[in-house]
Structure formats: C-alpha cells, structure tokens
Amino acid sequence: MAEPASGNGDNRRSKRRKRSRRTNPDGTMTLIEHIYEFRRRLGFAMLAVVIGGILGFIWFGTKIGPIPSLGDLVKDPYCAIPPSRRLDSAAGCRLLQTVPFEAFMTQLKVGLAAGAVLLSPAWLYQLWAFIAPGLYSKERKYALTFVAFASVLFAGGAVLAYILFPHALQLLMGFGQDAFVTALTADKYISFLLSLLIIFGISFELPLLVVMLNRVGVVKYAQLKKWRRGIVFALFVFAAFATPGSDPFSMLGLAGALTVLFEIAVQLARIHDRKKDKLRGDEGWDQLADDEAAPFDYTPSTADDEPSTPTASGGRSSTDDIT
C-alpha cells in the first residue's frame, strides 16, 4: 500500500517541476498537460472570485471604519432622489422587495461583483500565469502593461458611471410630474446600476485598443488623423445606444470621456510613429527605392543549424513535446 502513495508523491513533484520556471523556462508541455494546467488555473481563479464574493457579501451590511457599507454605496443614488418623488417607509429610504429571497439574491449579486473587482489581481494573475510561458520577454512586457492600464481604465469608467448615475436617475424619475411616485425594486435597480458600470468600464478600454493596434503597426497616426471626425461622431452614436435609459447625462458623460481618451490615444500614436520614422531615417531605410531590397540577411538556416536539446526520455527535442 505504500508504493502507490510514493508514486503519487513522485507524480506531484514531477508536475511541480514542469511548472517551475527554473527547470522548465519555456513552459514546454504536452497538449494534455496544457489542459490540466488550464483546469488548475481556472480553479484557482474561481476560488478567488468565490472568496471575493463572500467578502463582498459581508461588506454589504457592514461598515469598515470610515468606509461605508456596500449597501449604502449602492442605495445612495436612489436616496438622492427628492423625498417627494420616491416612496419611503417609516424607517426611511429603502429599496422594495417584491418576491421572497430578492434581498438575498441582490446582496449576493452585488457581493460577487464587488469581490471580483477587489480580488481581480488574484484571478488576473492566474490568467497571466497560464499564457506567460508561451510569450517572449518583449511580449510579456507589453502584456503586463496592457493588463495594468486596462484595469485602471475599467475602474475609471466605473467610477465615472457611479458619479453620473444619481443625476441620470433623478432625470429619468422626474418625468410624469406628480402623477407618479418612484418605488424601485432592488433587483431592477441593481441590474440597471451594474449594467451602467460595466458599459462604462468596457467602453474605456477603446483608447487602449487603439494604442495597441498602433504599436503593432495595424493603425497609423495618419489614418487616425484622417478618421478623427468620423470616429468622434461614432463615439457619440455608440454612447447614445450603449447607455441604459438613453439619458443625456450618461450619454454625454460617456461620449465626452471617450472623446478625450481617444484624443490621448491619437497623440500617443503620433509620438510613436514619429519615433519610428526617425529610427527608419537613421538606419537609411527611407533612402531605398521601391524595387531595392532592404539590408537584411536572407540566408535561410538549415535543420542542422538548430540546437538539439536532449531530454530524459532519450534524445528528443523539446519541440516534440509541443505537438
């Protein structure tokens, strides 16, 4: 009975060595090992989201020092509506529960969303750890920069949406004069708020996408300058359709922020293209005729020139394990 236990221990140690950067720097794995690694990383990422959801669920009704509870943060825009326009209970401003467990499901939904944001470094690291072995060092640098700026831009968009949400809500609830009174159910109110936060957060990734496309040479500054008016118009049209309720505050806020961020992306593309053109001029590439070959070494390498890396299984190269 002791031998299987020892074999399992050796197997686990072998898997840890394969995942180690020191013993396996290029992340070479077979297809089935990639699937197992993906399952393991996905499990850790889901565990981080669940732990964050538990913390968010607790935070929903608990104040943390000077930080208000998550429930108060979510309810404050609704409570900012004038008392004459909303339906209050004897205990003050509260959301309406129309079905059993609606309050529980709302608290769970908000807690999971907040927990996913709070512990985003944990599950983003799992995603990064899965794809990093297949990237070159230069590509890893760009990927880390992309993830860092994407997180900041998403958070900035969500914050802007939360700031504009009370104004949008007051405007939408102001129609009908005295013929209506506002009594929002918790489920629909939270869904409206979360959808606005997600839309603003994802929309703020557009300038980063423009910069990355410019870095890889897909889009040039000259093209962006030529398309600027059309793109700005398209941003306003997108904001009109993307914002729930189509209120002018959210629409103008989103369109204005996207226009400013897009202009920043255009200027970054301008600086990058100018540096690239200067480098081409220093190397003399711009002096070449259209039918003249660039000064590259076109001598192909043969299979004999490739270094062979023997393995423990008997001399096979590491490229055999990839297939």
Side-chain angles (χ1 to χ4, degrees), residues 202-224:
I202 295 178
S203 300
F204 268 47
E205 308 295 338
L206 174 63
L208 182 60
L209 178 62
V210 173
V211 172
M212 297 302 292
L213 290 177
N214 175 257
R215 291 282 177 175
V216 299
V218 177
V219 178
K220 301 294 184 182
Y221 166 71
Q223 295 173 318
L224 294 174

Side-chain angles (χ1 to χ4, degrees), residues 76-92:
D76 283 346
Y78 171 71
C79 295
I81 299 175
S84 59
R85 302 292 305 162
R86 68 170 189 265
L87 181 62
D88 284 345
S89 64

Side-chain angles (χ1 to χ4, degrees), residues 119-174:
L119 292 188
S120 58
W123 57 266
L124 284 176
Y125 170 77
Q126 299 301 324
L127 175 63
W128 168 252
F130 177 74
I131 65 176
L135 302 177
Y136 294 106
S137 58
K138 184 178 180 180
E139 294 173 337
R140 291 193 192 108
K141 181 184 68 174
Y142 280 126
L144 281 175
T145 304
F146 180 85
V147 171
F149 278 98
S151 302
V152 173
L153 288 174
F154 186 91
V159 170
L160 178 62
Y162 185 80
I163 293 174
L164 294 177
F165 183 66
H167 304 283
L169 193 62
Q170 290 187 36
L171 177 65
L172 294 175
M173 299 298 105

Side-chain angles (χ1 to χ4, degrees), residues 187-207:
D187 180 62
K188 292 184 178 179
Y189 172 77
I190 296 300
S191 298
F192 180 75
L193 175 59
L194 291 180
S195 63
L196 194 66
L197 297 179
I198 293 174
I199 288 173
F200 270 67
I202 295 178
S203 300
F204 268 47
E205 308 295 338
L206 174 63

Side-chain angles (χ1 to χ4, degrees), residues 39-49 122-123 126:
R39 184 183 65 179
R40 190 175 73 92
R41 296 295 180 183
L42 180 61
F44 285 144
M46 294 299 295
L47 180 62
V49 173
W123 57 266
Q126 299 301 324

